[in-house]
Amino acid sequence: MKLMNPPAESSIESALHPAPATQMRVIVPVPPEASAAPMTETTTLHAPPPSLYVSGSELILEHGAVIPVGSCVKCGRPACGSSAIALRNPRLPGTWFGARPTLEMGLCRKHRDDRSVAVALTWSFLAIGALLVAVGAMTFSFVSIGIGIVAMAGAGWFRAATPVVATLVTDTRTVLSGCGAAFLKQFRSGGE
């Protein structure tokens, strides 16, 4: 058996010396233009206040305004509770399903029940349509498949139409249509 000699110390020392440094690039921040005034408490931007008003038969909410939940949005009677309602539009099928901005609304018992029925109809039509498509695919019935697809495609209309319709939803503005006249009356200027 042959024993190996340990390497000479000079080779270890030469291996431990650092490699020569490469030139580093330094990034220097550029100050803003001298003509720009520095931001102070007096120059900070203030968000416009929330506003809520009526235009014709539409209720317009701007800059995060909310509607009072003490009265029903459909009839103006005292609300029996409030719900976070997704803002949908029955004329825009892209808003029927999926995540949508919500708004807290007060509903009386009758309109809350109407909303529950509309949501139940939506999910029932989806389930029945899916069942018809599945049965039609297994039995090669194109009529069943067609009826199922139509039922599924139109299912979201029910919940999109109740209790109110959101004709416009942006970051700063929401336009609601379908609010009751008695509910809108509390927002009209001069008590028209």
Side-chain angles (χ1 to χ4, degrees), residues 59-116:
L59 181 62
I60 300 169
L61 298 100
E62 291 183 335
H63 309 292
V66 294
I67 59 176
V69 294
S71 58
C72 178
V73 74
K74 288 297 285 181
C75 63
R77 291 184 288 203
C80 67
S82 65
S83 301
I85 307 289
L87 301 174
R88 303 183 190 281
N89 187 344
R91 292 188 178 132
L92 299 173
T95 67
W96 291 358
F97 296 102
R100 296 288 301 162
T102 60
L103 185 65
E104 193 75 20
M105 296 181 198
L107 295 171
C108 66
R109 183 172 305 278
K110 177 192 180 304
H111 291 109
R112 188 181 64 187
D113 291 345
D114 289 350
R115 170 92 178 132
S116 297

Side-chain angles (χ1 to χ4, degrees), residues 110-190:
K110 177 192 180 304
H111 291 109
R112 188 181 64 187
D113 291 345
D114 289 350
R115 170 92 178 132
S116 297
V117 168
V119 171
L121 279 172
T122 294
W123 294 112
S124 297
F125 267 67
L126 273 175
I128 290 170
L131 186 63
L132 283 171
V133 168
V135 169
M138 288 189 288
T139 61
F140 301 108
S141 173
F142 296 110
V143 174
S144 293
I145 292 172
I147 292 172
I149 289 173
V150 168
M152 289 172 58
W157 182 87
F158 297 105
R159 74 175 178 169
T162 183
V164 295
V165 174
T167 56
L168 176 70
V169 178
T170 65
D171 291 339
T172 59
R173 190 172 203 205
T174 302
V175 179
L176 301 177
S177 178
C179 297
F183 181 77
L184 293 176
K185 187 177 181 180
Q186 63 185 322
F187 305 110
R188 293 192 192 277
S189 58

